[in-house]
Amino acid sequence: MTDKTSNQMWGGRFAAGPGAIMEAINASIGFDQRMAAQDIAGSRAHAAMLAATGVITDNDAEAIREGLLTVLSEIDSGNFTFSTALEDIHMNVEARLKEIIGEPAGRLHTGRSRNDQVATDFKLWVRDQLDAAANGLEVLIAALVDQAEAGADWVMPGFTHLQTAQPVTWGHHMMAYVEMFGRDLSRVRDARARMNECPLGAAALAGTSFPIDRDMTAEALGFDRPAANSLDAVSDRDFALEFLSVASICAMHLSRFAEELVIWSSAQFRFVTLSDRFSTGSSIMPQKKNPDAAELIRAKVGRIFGANTALMMVMKGLPLAYSKDMQEDKEQVFDAADNWMLALAAMSGMVKDMTANRDSLAAAAGSGFSTATDLADWMVRVLKVPFRDAHHVTGALVAMAEARGCDLPDLSLADMKSVHEGISDDIFTVLGVENSVNSRLSYGGTAPEQVRAQVARWKKALG
Ligand code: ARG
């Protein structure tokens, strides 16, 4: 009896049987070709070092150097044929080098292994991405600082529980995100400094008996120093995990801000108008302008944090040193990096393009009894009433206004006095939202003066 299921399984792509299946599961060339430039840079540094230490001849090193440059230009120009049978980028490059320069190519792999090679390539790749993320964050921070400067004294409602709390300034709200993305930037820099140790020369796991100079390769590749333990150097992927966790935290910040933009751009809020360049229309509802870029940024945190979790699970039970499981590190990091960079660019574009609707912000700022705290504070300051009592009186006035369907400043002085005799005409000055924000001068507070000071500090920091 023929087993249809197994026939189908062995059919199609895997018709050739176990060999084809093994090749498919084993190969990483489909994705690790993205590290071609790093692989060739690592090999050039290694070959130069082997010549300097007398392990190979200068002639061989020169042939290797020129051959690698040819391979790189073939890859860059799309004239390179990647082979799955050659498994990964390391063997694809080396095999092609052999075709071009012959025998000296075989000397390149002296005193190294694919284990330290892949760790080096991957670190170089992740390091480039950290640099790109730092640039992206700086652009985004600068765009937010510009928004904050333009609207340093524009009033808007501040929320807790998404309920109107106290008036704040637009500039203050923008600068809150500047602080978050500023910490992301410092996390990027920390991660970069910590990972900047070179694995090359750790060889398979134990080091090598050849008299290599690891300081020389580390320096040539822009690392601070060689990694100090060969077992660790080939086993460590925490630099990739740190990249993913920094990316996850930043993506979470991007997602929160994106969520606010979705809410703020709705017809019910109208706090901001997003540009057409970062929105789309609906195919059926002509009135709609959808904040698609913001929604997609909001969603990106899912796959980025997913990558972090996935790599954590890959690594968690691995004995030292290298295991093939670790080949599963790259696709997660590549995907997270691509989407992090894209989200940063899209957010910067949206922030640069968006218009804050000053009038809508101001109209909303005064609603919802947003200056109730100012009323209570005034009673404490002027009437020397204990805060808890002032809170109680204010609550009664809010209830009165609510019952009448008006706002606090719409109550008459007589209304106020009916709740607390001591209240005088002066109270009406503190019930205005402009007064409210201007009074919050404490360090880090929402007063325009404070916002401008923070804007100046950031402008100086960004240079
Ligand atoms: N393609 C492999 C990876 O990405 C390279 C290292 C292979 N090392 C080995 N001993 N099989 O991890």
Side-chain angles (χ1 to χ4, degrees), residues 26-29 31-32 35 87-90 113-119 204 237 322-330:
N26 201 34
S28 53
I29 189 62
F31 47 89
D32 70 11
M35 305 192 307
E87 233 180 279
D88 57 25
I89 186 63
H90 324 294
S113 134
R114 268 191 298 157
N115 296 348
D116 57 336
Q117 199 180 349
V118 71
R237 291 295 180 274
Y322 179 85
S323 297
K324 197 63 175 264
D325 311 50
M326 289 158 75
Q327 181 166 285
E328 290 283 314
D329 55 2
K330 284 172 249 355

mmCIF file of all heavy atoms in Angstrom, residues 26-29 31-32 35 87-90 113-119 204 237 322-330, ligand 1:
data_model
loop_
_atom_site.group_PDB
_atom_site.id
_atom_site.type_symbol
_atom_site.label_atom_id
_atom_site.label_comp_id
_atom_site.label_asym_id
_atom_site.label_seq_id
_atom_site.Cartn_x
_atom_site.Cartn_y
_atom_site.Cartn_z
ATOM 1 N N ASN A 26 19.992 23.118 6.895
ATOM 2 C CA ASN A 26 21.339 23.469 7.348
ATOM 3 C C ASN A 26 21.812 24.830 6.830
ATOM 4 O O ASN A 26 22.580 25.520 7.493
ATOM 5 C CB ASN A 26 22.310 22.372 6.887
ATOM 6 C CG ASN A 26 23.581 22.353 7.683
ATOM 7 O OD1 ASN A 26 23.567 22.642 8.876
ATOM 8 N ND2 ASN A 26 24.678 22.036 7.039
ATOM 9 N N ALA A 27 21.353 25.194 5.650
ATOM 10 C CA ALA A 27 21.914 26.379 4.987
ATOM 11 C C ALA A 27 21.410 27.677 5.611
ATOM 12 O O ALA A 27 20.256 27.792 5.999
ATOM 13 C CB ALA A 27 21.556 26.355 3.512
ATOM 14 N N SER A 28 22.317 28.635 5.692
ATOM 15 C CA SER A 28 21.921 29.967 6.155
ATOM 16 C C SER A 28 22.180 31.016 5.074
ATOM 17 O O SER A 28 21.927 32.197 5.282
ATOM 18 C CB SER A 28 22.672 30.329 7.442
ATOM 19 O OG SER A 28 24.070 30.179 7.270
ATOM 20 N N ILE A 29 22.657 30.592 3.922
ATOM 21 C CA ILE A 29 23.054 31.563 2.900
ATOM 22 C C ILE A 29 21.878 32.437 2.433
ATOM 23 O O ILE A 29 22.071 33.591 2.066
ATOM 24 C CB ILE A 29 23.745 30.863 1.690
ATOM 25 C CG1 ILE A 29 24.362 31.890 0.726
ATOM 26 C CG2 ILE A 29 22.787 29.924 0.952
ATOM 27 C CD1 ILE A 29 25.438 32.750 1.334
ATOM 28 N N PHE A 31 19.850 33.970 4.109
ATOM 29 C CA PHE A 31 19.764 35.218 4.895
ATOM 30 C C PHE A 31 21.125 35.777 5.299
ATOM 31 O O PHE A 31 21.319 36.989 5.326
ATOM 32 C CB PHE A 31 18.856 35.059 6.114
ATOM 33 C CG PHE A 31 19.104 33.810 6.935
ATOM 34 C CD1 PHE A 31 20.022 33.831 7.965
ATOM 35 C CD2 PHE A 31 18.410 32.629 6.699
ATOM 36 C CE1 PHE A 31 20.247 32.702 8.745
ATOM 37 C CE2 PHE A 31 18.622 31.488 7.464
ATOM 38 C CZ PHE A 31 19.548 31.515 8.497
ATOM 39 N N ASP A 32 22.119 34.903 5.560
ATOM 40 C CA ASP A 32 23.372 35.494 6.082
ATOM 41 C C ASP A 32 24.215 36.161 4.993
ATOM 42 O O ASP A 32 25.248 36.770 5.288
ATOM 43 C CB ASP A 32 24.168 34.514 6.958
ATOM 44 C CG ASP A 32 24.795 33.347 6.196
ATOM 45 O OD1 ASP A 32 24.809 33.380 4.958
ATOM 46 O OD2 ASP A 32 25.269 32.404 6.885
ATOM 47 N N MET A 35 25.514 39.599 5.501
ATOM 48 C CA MET A 35 26.740 39.921 6.242
ATOM 49 C C MET A 35 27.971 39.817 5.347
ATOM 50 O O MET A 35 29.097 39.725 5.853
ATOM 51 C CB MET A 35 26.918 38.978 7.438
ATOM 52 C CG MET A 35 25.718 38.964 8.379
ATOM 53 S SD MET A 35 26.066 38.127 9.952
ATOM 54 C CE MET A 35 26.691 36.549 9.399
ATOM 55 N N GLU A 87 26.319 26.230 1.948
ATOM 56 C CA GLU A 87 25.789 26.491 3.281
ATOM 57 C C GLU A 87 25.633 27.951 3.686
ATOM 58 O O GLU A 87 24.541 28.413 3.971
ATOM 59 C CB GLU A 87 26.681 25.801 4.328
ATOM 60 C CG GLU A 87 25.916 24.908 5.264
ATOM 61 C CD GLU A 87 26.839 24.254 6.279
ATOM 62 O OE1 GLU A 87 27.471 23.258 5.933
ATOM 63 O OE2 GLU A 87 26.907 24.760 7.427
ATOM 64 N N ASP A 88 26.747 28.653 3.822
ATOM 65 C CA ASP A 88 26.630 29.984 4.420
ATOM 66 C C ASP A 88 27.543 30.992 3.723
ATOM 67 O O ASP A 88 28.283 30.640 2.798
ATOM 68 C CB ASP A 88 26.894 29.938 5.930
ATOM 69 C CG ASP A 88 28.263 29.350 6.279
ATOM 70 O OD1 ASP A 88 29.179 29.410 5.434
ATOM 71 O OD2 ASP A 88 28.402 28.839 7.415
ATOM 72 N N ILE A 89 27.494 32.209 4.175
ATOM 73 C CA ILE A 89 28.260 33.289 3.532
ATOM 74 C C ILE A 89 29.764 33.026 3.633
ATOM 75 O O ILE A 89 30.513 33.315 2.696
ATOM 76 C CB ILE A 89 27.871 34.681 4.129
ATOM 77 C CG1 ILE A 89 28.567 35.826 3.366
ATOM 78 C CG2 ILE A 89 28.177 34.779 5.610
ATOM 79 C CD1 ILE A 89 28.184 35.949 1.909
ATOM 80 N N HIS A 90 30.187 32.438 4.747
ATOM 81 C CA HIS A 90 31.625 32.215 4.954
ATOM 82 C C HIS A 90 32.187 31.276 3.891
ATOM 83 O O HIS A 90 33.232 31.547 3.286
ATOM 84 C CB HIS A 90 31.879 31.653 6.359
ATOM 85 C CG HIS A 90 30.947 32.235 7.377
ATOM 86 N ND1 HIS A 90 30.992 33.569 7.714
ATOM 87 C CD2 HIS A 90 29.923 31.686 8.088
ATOM 88 C CE1 HIS A 90 30.025 33.807 8.599
ATOM 89 N NE2 HIS A 90 29.373 32.696 8.834
ATOM 90 N N SER A 113 38.142 29.843 12.752
ATOM 91 C CA SER A 113 37.103 28.850 12.471
ATOM 92 C C SER A 113 35.853 29.619 12.062
ATOM 93 O O SER A 113 35.794 30.844 12.236
ATOM 94 C CB SER A 113 36.879 28.019 13.735
ATOM 95 O OG SER A 113 35.514 27.871 14.009
ATOM 96 N N ARG A 114 34.884 28.916 11.535
ATOM 97 C CA ARG A 114 33.640 29.637 11.222
ATOM 98 C C ARG A 114 32.963 30.129 12.501
ATOM 99 O O ARG A 114 32.144 31.038 12.463
ATOM 100 C CB ARG A 114 32.691 28.736 10.441
ATOM 101 C CG ARG A 114 32.862 28.870 8.946
ATOM 102 C CD ARG A 114 31.740 28.179 8.226
ATOM 103 N NE ARG A 114 31.715 26.754 8.499
ATOM 104 C CZ ARG A 114 30.635 25.972 8.384
ATOM 105 N NH1 ARG A 114 29.481 26.484 8.003
ATOM 106 N NH2 ARG A 114 30.694 24.678 8.638
ATOM 107 N N ASN A 115 33.309 29.509 13.629
ATOM 108 C CA ASN A 115 32.654 29.915 14.879
ATOM 109 C C ASN A 115 33.052 31.329 15.311
ATOM 110 O O ASN A 115 32.206 32.141 15.679
ATOM 111 C CB ASN A 115 32.970 28.912 15.991
ATOM 112 C CG ASN A 115 32.406 27.541 15.685
ATOM 113 O OD1 ASN A 115 31.601 27.396 14.751
ATOM 114 N ND2 ASN A 115 32.822 26.537 16.439
ATOM 115 N N ASP A 116 34.352 31.625 15.257
ATOM 116 C CA ASP A 116 34.741 33.007 15.600
ATOM 117 C C ASP A 116 34.442 33.947 14.433
ATOM 118 O O ASP A 116 34.162 35.133 14.623
ATOM 119 C CB ASP A 116 36.215 33.109 16.042
ATOM 120 C CG ASP A 116 37.206 32.582 15.020
ATOM 121 O OD1 ASP A 116 36.820 31.748 14.184
ATOM 122 O OD2 ASP A 116 38.374 33.019 15.057
ATOM 123 N N GLN A 117 34.455 33.369 13.218
ATOM 124 C CA GLN A 117 34.163 34.189 12.038
ATOM 125 C C GLN A 117 32.723 34.708 12.072
ATOM 126 O O GLN A 117 32.464 35.898 11.876
ATOM 127 C CB GLN A 117 34.385 33.313 10.795
ATOM 128 C CG GLN A 117 34.576 34.086 9.514
ATOM 129 C CD GLN A 117 34.803 33.141 8.321
ATOM 130 O OE1 GLN A 117 35.006 31.930 8.509
ATOM 131 N NE2 GLN A 117 34.761 33.670 7.127
ATOM 132 N N VAL A 118 31.779 33.806 12.355
ATOM 133 C CA VAL A 118 30.377 34.230 12.347
ATOM 134 C C VAL A 118 30.099 35.187 13.511
ATOM 135 O O VAL A 118 29.356 36.171 13.361
ATOM 136 C CB VAL A 118 29.397 33.024 12.353
ATOM 137 C CG1 VAL A 118 29.375 32.293 13.677
ATOM 138 C CG2 VAL A 118 28.001 33.473 11.971
ATOM 139 N N ALA A 119 30.725 34.930 14.649
ATOM 140 C CA ALA A 119 30.509 35.835 15.794
ATOM 141 C C ALA A 119 31.023 37.237 15.461
ATOM 142 O O ALA A 119 30.397 38.245 15.801
ATOM 143 C CB ALA A 119 31.205 35.286 17.041
ATOM 144 N N ALA A 204 37.920 27.809 16.900
ATOM 145 C CA ALA A 204 36.716 26.983 17.069
ATOM 146 C C ALA A 204 36.113 27.162 18.456
ATOM 147 O O ALA A 204 34.905 27.298 18.616
ATOM 148 C CB ALA A 204 37.034 25.522 16.816
ATOM 149 N N ARG A 237 25.957 35.441 22.510
ATOM 150 C CA ARG A 237 25.037 36.184 21.647
ATOM 151 C C ARG A 237 24.306 37.243 22.461
ATOM 152 O O ARG A 237 23.294 37.760 22.042
ATOM 153 C CB ARG A 237 24.020 35.247 20.981
ATOM 154 C CG ARG A 237 24.612 34.306 19.932
ATOM 155 C CD ARG A 237 25.171 35.050 18.711
ATOM 156 N NE ARG A 237 25.718 34.136 17.725
ATOM 157 C CZ ARG A 237 26.973 33.660 17.734
ATOM 158 N NH1 ARG A 237 27.807 34.019 18.713
ATOM 159 N NH2 ARG A 237 27.401 32.848 16.802
ATOM 160 N N TYR A 322 29.998 26.648 20.760
ATOM 161 C CA TYR A 322 29.064 26.849 19.657
ATOM 162 C C TYR A 322 28.132 25.654 19.460
ATOM 163 O O TYR A 322 28.542 24.507 19.570
ATOM 164 C CB TYR A 322 29.854 27.099 18.352
ATOM 165 C CG TYR A 322 28.956 27.299 17.141
ATOM 166 C CD1 TYR A 322 28.438 28.555 16.844
ATOM 167 C CD2 TYR A 322 28.596 26.235 16.320
ATOM 168 C CE1 TYR A 322 27.602 28.745 15.748
ATOM 169 C CE2 TYR A 322 27.764 26.409 15.220
ATOM 170 C CZ TYR A 322 27.272 27.672 14.945
ATOM 171 O OH TYR A 322 26.442 27.863 13.864
ATOM 172 N N SER A 323 26.873 25.943 19.170
ATOM 173 C CA SER A 323 25.929 24.921 18.685
ATOM 174 C C SER A 323 25.210 25.513 17.486
ATOM 175 O O SER A 323 25.037 26.736 17.404
ATOM 176 C CB SER A 323 24.890 24.564 19.747
ATOM 177 O OG SER A 323 25.516 23.998 20.878
ATOM 178 N N LYS A 324 24.769 24.647 16.602
ATOM 179 C CA LYS A 324 24.160 25.150 15.356
ATOM 180 C C LYS A 324 22.867 25.919 15.611
ATOM 181 O O LYS A 324 22.441 26.724 14.789
ATOM 182 C CB LYS A 324 23.904 23.984 14.388
ATOM 183 C CG LYS A 324 23.674 24.415 12.929
ATOM 184 C CD LYS A 324 24.900 25.098 12.320
ATOM 185 C CE LYS A 324 24.758 25.420 10.859
ATOM 186 N NZ LYS A 324 25.335 24.421 9.956
ATOM 187 N N ASP A 325 22.260 25.675 16.773
ATOM 188 C CA ASP A 325 21.079 26.464 17.160
ATOM 189 C C ASP A 325 21.322 27.957 16.930
ATOM 190 O O ASP A 325 20.420 28.717 16.611
ATOM 191 C CB ASP A 325 20.766 26.307 18.659
ATOM 192 C CG ASP A 325 20.722 24.881 19.166
ATOM 193 O OD1 ASP A 325 21.673 24.119 18.892
ATOM 194 O OD2 ASP A 325 19.733 24.555 19.847
ATOM 195 N N MET A 326 22.590 28.353 17.157
ATOM 196 C CA MET A 326 22.900 29.784 17.142
ATOM 197 C C MET A 326 22.763 30.406 15.761
ATOM 198 O O MET A 326 22.715 31.616 15.622
ATOM 199 C CB MET A 326 24.303 30.007 17.722
ATOM 200 C CG MET A 326 24.302 29.758 19.236
ATOM 201 S SD MET A 326 25.921 29.381 19.907
ATOM 202 C CE MET A 326 26.641 30.994 19.878
ATOM 203 N N GLN A 327 22.674 29.569 14.741
ATOM 204 C CA GLN A 327 22.432 30.092 13.394
ATOM 205 C C GLN A 327 21.053 30.751 13.305
ATOM 206 O O GLN A 327 20.803 31.549 12.415
ATOM 207 C CB GLN A 327 22.545 28.944 12.379
ATOM 208 C CG GLN A 327 22.332 29.345 10.942
ATOM 209 C CD GLN A 327 22.779 28.258 9.984
ATOM 210 O OE1 GLN A 327 23.964 28.058 9.786
ATOM 211 N NE2 GLN A 327 21.834 27.529 9.409
ATOM 212 N N GLU A 328 20.181 30.395 14.253
ATOM 213 C CA GLU A 328 18.824 30.969 14.282
ATOM 214 C C GLU A 328 18.809 32.396 14.826
ATOM 215 O O GLU A 328 17.753 32.988 14.991
ATOM 216 C CB GLU A 328 17.903 30.085 15.131
ATOM 217 C CG GLU A 328 17.576 28.747 14.499
ATOM 218 C CD GLU A 328 16.524 28.860 13.381
ATOM 219 O OE1 GLU A 328 15.515 29.544 13.594
ATOM 220 O OE2 GLU A 328 16.741 28.279 12.306
ATOM 221 N N ASP A 329 19.965 32.925 15.159
ATOM 222 C CA ASP A 329 20.008 34.283 15.715
ATOM 223 C C ASP A 329 19.746 35.355 14.656
ATOM 224 O O ASP A 329 19.150 36.383 14.922
ATOM 225 C CB ASP A 329 21.376 34.549 16.401
ATOM 226 C CG ASP A 329 22.575 34.306 15.472
ATOM 227 O OD1 ASP A 329 22.370 33.966 14.286
ATOM 228 O OD2 ASP A 329 23.725 34.460 15.949
ATOM 229 N N LYS A 330 20.192 35.088 13.423
ATOM 230 C CA LYS A 330 20.284 36.181 12.452
ATOM 231 C C LYS A 330 18.960 36.686 11.911
ATOM 232 O O LYS A 330 18.725 37.892 11.853
ATOM 233 C CB LYS A 330 21.217 35.756 11.317
ATOM 234 C CG LYS A 330 22.685 35.819 11.740
ATOM 235 C CD LYS A 330 23.592 35.237 10.715
ATOM 236 C CE LYS A 330 24.287 33.958 11.052
ATOM 237 N NZ LYS A 330 24.205 33.342 12.342
HETATM 238 N N1 ARG B 1 26.268 29.464 9.385
HETATM 239 C C1 ARG B 1 26.757 29.249 10.691
HETATM 240 C C2 ARG B 1 26.022 30.149 11.687
HETATM 241 O O1 ARG B 1 25.392 31.060 11.264
HETATM 242 C C3 ARG B 1 28.219 29.566 10.752
HETATM 243 C C4 ARG B 1 28.982 28.834 11.812
HETATM 244 C C5 ARG B 1 29.054 27.423 11.525
HETATM 245 N N2 ARG B 1 29.929 26.750 12.433
HETATM 246 C C6 ARG B 1 29.921 25.426 12.538
HETATM 247 N N3 ARG B 1 30.750 24.920 13.385
HETATM 248 N N4 ARG B 1 29.098 24.699 11.834
HETATM 249 O O2 ARG B 1 26.030 29.932 12.874
#
